[in-house]
Amino acid sequence: MAYPTRVGTAALAFSLVLAGCAQGTGSSGEAPEFSPDAPLEGELSIMGFGTGDEIGQVRYDRAVAALGDVDVSLSEGALDIQAFLSAVASGNPPDLVYASRDLIGSFASRGAVVPLDQCVEAEGIDVDAFDQAAVDQVTFAGSLYGVPEFNTVQVVMANAVLLSAAGVTVDDVDGSDRAAATAANDALTRQDGGRLSVIGVDPKLPEFLPLWSHALGTDLISADGRTAQLDDPAVLEALEWAIDLYDAQGGFSGVKSYRDSADAFGAGNQLATGALGAMPMEHWYVNVLNESSPDAPLTFSTVKDAEGEPIAYAGGSAWAVPTDAENPAAACAFARLMTETDAWTEAAQARADARAESGTLFTGLLTGNTEADQLIRDELVPADAPAPWSEAIEATYEANEHTFSLPANPADNAFKTAWQDAVNRVLNGQQEPAEALAQAQTEAQAALDDAWATWDER
Amino acid sequence: MTTPAVADRSGADEHPEEGIGAAVLGPPPQAPVLAPAGTSRERPRRRTGRIALRTAVVATLVLLTVVFIYPLVWLLSASFKPRSDVFDNRLIPKTFTVENYLTVWQEAPIALWLGNTLVVTALAAVTVTLTSALVAWGFAFYRFRGRGPLFTLVLATMMLPGAVTLIPTFLIWNQLGLVGTNVPLWAGNLFGSAFYIFLLRQFFLGLPRDPFEAAMLDGASSWTMFWRIALPLCKPAIVLTFLFEAQASWTDLMRPLIYLQDSDTFTIPRGLKALVDQFGTGGESQWEVVVTAGVLTTVPMILLFFLGQRYFVDGVATTGSKG
Amino acid sequence: MTAPSTLRTLGGTSRRRRPASTTRERRERRTALWFISPWIVGFLVFTAWPIIYSLYLSFTDYDVINDPQMVGLENYQRVLDDPKIALSLRNTLVYTALQVPAYVLVALTLALLLNEAGRSAGFFRTAFFLPKMTPPVAAGVLLLLLFNGQYGIVNEVLGWFGIDGPAWTTDPAWIKPGLVLLSLWSVGSSVIILLAALRDVPTELYDAARVDGAGYWRRTVSVTIPMISGALFFVVVINTIGAFQIFTEAYTAYFGAGSSSYSNDAALFYVIYLFQQGFEFLEMGYASAMAWLLFLIIMAVTAVQLVVSKRLVHYQGER
């Protein structure tokens, strides 16, 4: 048994040595250096960004050029959590990471990314230029952890012909008057031989529950991010109203199937074909509609709260610097270069040019940088766009001025899963709204308490 | 008539130390040294009956093939459609366009990625086939104390979800300094893989004993018995292992996702994900690109499989007598 | 009828009852371990440590970002209390119970059909294997499209037979059957394995059975199935292990990123929940505990299958 035992022992020894070395390295605990005079050199690795369109490409090229001596390497593609966590665990995280803003809270509270206050100072990043709601989303325990990029807002999009045929206007379906919306839904929806042929009003559950609950004056989580408010009566009311809209159309299942079966991104989209009355949707869909069905009879407005004020639930991405990044200074500089006003205006110019060439409309760009937004709107967005697109542009920018967001919290994902699961259970007919929200409240609060406790101990 | 098959149970009890391994797989049916399936002298009426049966069988198979292939054909046809038509459910595109392929070709170094994927797949498939065969042979041909429990251990490695060994495994490769290279994508196969060890052992157990006993009498070494007798007899299983692993390696996304960083090193699935994600920024889901990416991922493998199956000789029957 | 003496295989009753001499036994063991050594090395270096480490992690609180903190049995206690564990386990068990028999039956049927198809079998076999080439993302998307409750083609075809198809992708009662049907699409690899086994059945057994007057079914049950029972068993074991770990297609279809945050409790399978805990909620310690629970369950199920197999799996031996 000579050889095999020896081989076996050797392998075992080797693996033990490997095991000893291959422990995950937690944070080294040192704060990174962000000094204004530090020379920018070395390598910069970026994870989670894609340069697919001109908005990304133009800014990226500009930033890389400005960082002359720095060797920038980008791992193309949306951030994959497995890849990111593996890199962090091994002690070799990327220097700069591009993530959805609602992940920042979890990362920040666990020390995966560093506070950027020093970075902001050193690089002279103008935080005031950014949209407040966006900044709030990346602020945790008083510190800024991300540099916001992009803003996504909601716009009510509707088929004008269907609305007028049903005797309602877009004001009835923008959420400001729930009773009116319910009535409009009843008037708009149609069944054909037992199958849904026209969706009336689609409140887009579960993702837009925060929007509807905010419209009724309550957010899903308290402003300090510590207390879940999922069993608040306002939330319940919002949920029940939205569920009723689906029930009046034969149930969510039918609506979803019908919705899924149409080509949302082509000429066959349901607004164009008269298969959908009204829905709130992320603002970028305006571009899709403009490209694929420019002649459809559409009308647009902002979502409104119970007082008739426009509201929008802002989302977007942000640049963050992982702990133990090797080149935080360059990372910070890169983040500034990507999000500063000039970068945006250049990129928007490129897009406007491309649109002009192809004969389509430039409907604006929401950058998360309000200064840039204004400049782009003034200089590049046509003031004389044909209706309904001018309406759409108007609605988009108005929504952008009335954004709100949920504060960063250390249990982002668990919290979101808790309330989304609750809504899904109701949508699937497995639970009643009140029960579902009560359950979600318990789950969410437990997750929050747990996560906050870990943070407080640090 | 006593069917030998069901009569003999005693064999199992005679070797309790076989334990799990042998009991599990037992030997599959042996190699027939005799006539291959299907030939016999039959009366004409029986033959007509057989033809009718065969026609019915083929007809059913054709129908099933349609069901199986339809989604792939749908994918293929969708890749030739402009975005607006992707979901129109027509098999023949109303508007035929190769623009999606041009877009994908222009936007991404597909040829480079194809090359990378070929290298990784070839390395992965060759290494796993060879080493799994070696290990499987060890379990099939030899008897030793502890064989059963050791084989159970092999099986057990398939039972722990990969999600929790992902990070520890990553840490090992990181320690070896190999993150960022394509080595982690195939080098694990240098040590065999439980699935193929299981499968090949199965086929080895079904080999007839005679050629080996003859070889032993001739003084053949263990290596010769493996390399010159067992392997050739098991060619279909070897080819099968190769093709299965080639397919798995080709379509693997998870490993390139965490181990490859530089887009020049990407394999096709990783590259196409980056491509699709690109088109995802801004939220526009360009389905025609997604679908084209899907086709590009699968077509080379389909070609390979069609080529490979020519070498895939069925059964051991036609490999000659081993008397 | 006695089996011809050529029907002796390597797996059959051994050439000697017990190792004849200790020297021979030792030599045999050494040679065997030489052959097996690649796996042993690989196991010790690449497999054993991650497995042991994951066991260690199951006793810790680990968010991947910071070092693991020992918490003893807390994770396992939580596993017992967590209602989603029960839910996801139930989902997984139901799915496995549905999927494995269906899959094996379909694979066997197709293999039997192919066995009768003569030379054209090669083409069909390839056709059945092709779907495995589809990337899982595409498969998930196809599921949503083709099984769409209102306009998908599956329900359309059912409609031709007067059947009102269910909402495969939204009705909790039909989500698992829908996923089972999707899994049947990739039955090709098992078909190939079973077909190879079928081709190896010696024809004289069939001839003898036919001479005795046995019809097709009797032949199949008494000759074919027992003769391929080894391969059948392989297919059952492998697919059971796989079914317990269902993840990719279900995750893509029901939990993947997309503008819709719709998901369905009926599709929350164990490994999906595990993945969520580990990578989305950053509770890797808890996920590890979950993994080990699943490991034990799969081991137990496989052990039961083995015990059952000792009675049923044909074990060809010499007389």
Side-chain angles (χ1 to χ4, degrees), chain C residues 34-58:
Chain C
W34 267 95
F35 276 103
I36 300 179
S37 58
W39 182 83
I40 295 182
V41 171
F43 174 75
L44 288 173
V45 177
F46 286 99
T47 316
W49 185 69
I51 291 183
I52 295 171
Y53 192 61
S54 76
L55 182 61
Y56 157 68
L57 285 180
S58 73

Side-chain angles (χ1 to χ4, degrees), chain B residues 1 3-6 27-30, chain C residues 108-109 111-113 115-116 194-203 205-207 209-210 214-233 312-314 316:
Chain B
M1 164 201 162
T3 37
V6 294
Q30 338 51 8
Chain C
L108 183 62
T109 311
L112 286 171
L113 278 174
N115 201 26
E116 302 288 337
L194 290 177
L195 183 62
L198 281 173
R199 292 276 168 86
D200 274 355
V201 176
T203 42
L205 290 182
Y206 287 125
D207 290 341
R210 222 176 278 128
Y216 181 76
W217 290 113
R218 176 103 174 88
R219 281 207 304 279
T220 310
V221 167
S222 301
V223 178
T224 317
I225 306 265
M227 291 303 283
I228 62 167
S229 54
L232 258 183
F233 197 79
L312 294 181
V313 173
H314 167 71
Q316 188 72 359

Side-chain angles (χ1 to χ4, degrees), chain B:
Chain B
M1 164 201 162
T2 50
T3 37
V6 294
D8 181 4
R9 290 279 153 66
S10 56
D13 298 330
E14 281 183 34
H15 287 271
E17 85 268 23
E18 306 282 35
I20 286 178
V24 168
L25 311 152
Q30 338 51 8
V33 190
L34 310 159
T39 66
S40 50
R41 290 175 302 250
E42 294 173 281
R43 293 188 294 265
R45 209 177 339 150
R46 180 73 71 75
R47 194 171 294 147
T48 330
R50 279 209 79 87
I51 292 179
L53 172 70
R54 184 160 294 192
T55 321
V57 162
V58 171
T60 318
L61 285 172
V62 167
L63 190 64
L64 287 169
T65 307
V66 168
V67 172
F68 271 78
I69 299 295
Y70 174 79
L72 288 178
V73 175
W74 186 92
L75 259 182
L76 184 66
S77 113
S79 70
F80 287 114
K81 296 178 186 162
R83 191 205 305 200
S84 51
D85 292 350
V86 166
F87 292 108
D88 67 5
N89 274 331
R90 298 164 69 108
L91 272 187
I92 315 284
K94 192 166 60 185
T95 323
F96 189 93
T97 169
V98 292
E99 199 174 315
N100 301 330
Y101 288 93
L102 289 175
T103 310
V104 172
W105 192 268
Q106 278 164 2
E107 292 284 340
I110 293 281
L112 180 63
W113 292 343
L114 266 170
N116 291 337
T117 321
L118 265 170
V119 168
V120 170
T121 300
L123 283 169
V126 167
T127 52
V128 91
T129 308
L130 284 176
T131 51
S132 300
L134 273 171
V135 177
W137 180 247
F139 278 111
F141 190 61
Y142 299 96
R143 275 138 218 264
F144 52 95
R145 213 184 355 241
R147 182 172 84 157
L150 190 60
F151 192 71
T152 313
L153 189 60
V154 173
L155 285 192
T157 60
M158 288 193 282
M159 298 181 191
L160 196 70
V164 295
T165 50
L166 186 88
I167 294 206
T169 312
F170 181 85
L171 291 178
I172 296 181
W173 288 113
N174 186 56
Q175 200 61 35
L176 293 170
L178 290 171
V179 169
T181 70
N182 68 13
V183 173
L185 272 60
W186 58 267
N189 285 349
L190 284 170
F191 308 107
S193 148
F195 179 90
Y196 302 113
I197 294 173
F198 193 2
L199 181 68
L200 287 169
R201 176 192 182 278
Q202 188 61 4
F203 278 90
F204 283 141
L205 284 177
L207 293 178
R209 205 170 295 144
D210 295 340
F212 298 99
E213 293 192 338
M216 275 196 295
L217 287 175
D218 285 347
S221 73
S222 329
W223 177 258
T224 313
M225 287 208 278
F226 168 70
W227 189 256
R228 286 177 185 254
I229 307 180
L231 272 192
L233 283 181
C234 253
K235 210 165 5 148
I238 300 294
V239 173
L240 203 142
T241 305
F242 185 88
L243 288 176
F244 280 6
E245 180 64 10
Q247 178 268 328
S249 174
W250 187 273
T251 51
D252 180 25
L253 176 59
M254 206 213 49
R255 255 174 282 191
L257 200 51
I258 59 176
Y259 292 111
L260 296 179
Q261 273 134 20
D262 186 356
S263 62
D264 280 345
T265 60
F266 283 177
T267 60
I268 290 260
R270 175 68 183 95
L272 293 175
K273 172 185 156 58
L275 192 66
V276 164
D277 283 346
Q278 279 184 11
F279 288 108
T281 49
E284 302 179 51
S285 185
Q286 301 198 275
W287 286 111
E288 76 281 15
V289 176
V290 174
V291 151
T292 310
V295 172
L296 278 173
T297 318
T298 59
V299 163
M301 277 310 300
I302 292 176
L303 288 174
L304 178 70
F305 195 74
F306 265 113
L307 286 174
Q309 77 131 355
R310 290 191 315 152
Y311 297 99
F312 188 88
V313 178
D314 288 276
V316 184
T318 47
T319 52
S321 78
K322 297 137 290 281

Side-chain angles (χ1 to χ4, degrees), chain A residues 274-333:
Chain A
L276 168 64
M279 66 167 176
M281 182 69 180
E282 283 96 0
H283 76 277
W284 47 258
Y285 194 59
V286 171
N287 280 331
V288 173
L289 290 172
N290 179 243
E291 264 181 47
S292 55
S293 54
D295 302 319
L298 303 167
T299 178
F300 302 91
S301 175
T302 58
V303 180
K304 300 213 177 67
D305 66 13
E307 273 100 48
E309 286 295 306
I311 51 170
Y313 178 40
S317 312
W319 295 100
V321 177
T323 314
D324 292 337
E326 280 175 2
N327 200 344
C332 182

Side-chain angles (χ1 to χ4, degrees), chain A residues 1-4 7-9 11-12 14-16 18-20 22-27 81-86 88-89 103 106-107 109-113 194-197 205-208 252-261 281-282 284 323 413-415 417-421 424-425 427-428 430 439 443 450 454 458, chain C residues 26 29-35 37-38 40-46 48-49 53 56 61-68 74 78 82-84 87 144-145 147-152 155-156 167-173 175 247 251 253-255 259-266 268 273 275-276 278-284:
Chain A
M1 250 296 255
Y3 165 73
V7 165
T9 328
L12 193 59
F14 180 52
S15 68
L16 283 175
L18 220 79
Q23 288 297 328
T25 52
S27 163
I81 192 72
Q82 293 170 98
F84 177 59
L85 288 178
S86 300
V88 168
L103 288 178
S106 291
F107 290 155
S109 68
R110 288 178 172 77
V113 293
R195 283 204 284 194
L196 199 57
S197 62
L205 285 185
E207 57 264 28
F208 287 161
F252 175 73
S253 175
V255 175
K256 178 167 197 305
S257 298
Y258 192 37
R259 198 205 302 165
D260 288 346
S261 71
M281 182 69 180
E282 283 96 0
W284 47 258
T323 314
N413 269 320
F415 177 74
T417 304
W419 67 257
Q420 281 185 357
D421 277 359
N424 281 320
R425 282 195 298 275
L427 289 174
N428 293 328
Q430 292 164 319
Q439 184 182 336
E443 288 172 2
D450 221 19
T454 323
R458 284 165 131 262
Chain C
R26 241 184 277 132
R29 187 168 52 184
R30 191 174 57 196
T31 324
L33 287 177
W34 267 95
F35 276 103
S37 58
I40 295 182
V41 171
F43 174 75
L44 288 173
V45 177
F46 286 99
W49 185 69
Y53 192 61
Y56 157 68
D61 185 1
Y62 182 46
D63 64 6
V64 186
I65 296 160
N66 302 297
D67 289 334
E74 205 176 280
R78 207 170 127 196
D82 187 347
K84 274 194 173 172
L87 170 71
L144 291 176
L145 284 172
F147 281 84
N148 185 298
Q150 305 238 311
Y151 294 92
N155 278 356
E156 210 174 295
W168 299 97
T169 55
T170 48
D171 185 345
I175 286 197
F247 179 71
Y251 186 81
Y254 295 110
F255 294 90
S259 52
S260 165
S261 46
Y262 171 75
S263 70
N264 202 310
D265 264 1
L268 185 68
Y273 185 47
F275 180 85
Q276 278 182 342
F279 285 97
E280 291 176 18
F281 303 166
L282 301 179
E283 296 268 4
M284 195 55 88

Side-chain angles (χ1 to χ4, degrees), chain A residues 324-392:
Chain A
D324 292 337
E326 280 175 2
N327 200 344
C332 182
F334 194 85
R336 168 183 62 82
L337 286 164
M338 288 297 279
T339 55
E340 58 191 3
T341 310
D342 286 344
W344 287 116
T345 48
E346 259 184 59
Q349 182 71 59
R351 169 168 283 183
D353 292 340
R355 290 285 157 88
E357 254 187 64
S358 67
T360 48
L361 199 56
F362 178 58
T363 53
L365 184 67
L366 295 184
T367 66
N369 179 329
T370 47
E371 210 179 270
D373 285 345
Q374 195 60 50
L375 277 172
I376 293 172
R377 183 171 191 191
D378 292 338
E379 290 170 30
L380 295 170
V381 178
D384 56 350
W389 310 110
S390 53
E391 248 178 41

Side-chain angles (χ1 to χ4, degrees), chain A residues 109-190:
Chain A
S109 68
R110 288 178 172 77
V113 293
V114 299
L116 298 177
D117 304 304
Q118 246 200 357
C119 151
V120 162
E121 239 188 79
E123 284 289 332
I125 299 181
D126 183 9
V127 180
D128 293 326
F130 292 117
D131 180 60
Q132 190 55 46
V135 171
D136 287 342
Q137 266 186 318
V138 294
T139 307
F140 181 74
S143 289
L144 183 74
Y145 282 87
V147 181
E149 183 169 298
F150 285 119
N151 226 10
T152 313
V153 297
Q154 297 79 33
V155 170
V156 173
M157 308 184 186
N159 182 308
V161 165
L162 284 178
L163 287 185
S164 65
V168 297
T169 69
V170 76
D171 295 326
D172 295 321
V173 298
D174 61 11
S176 56
D177 182 347
R178 282 182 318 292
T182 312
N185 181 43
D186 289 336
L188 286 164
T189 179
R190 292 247 182 297

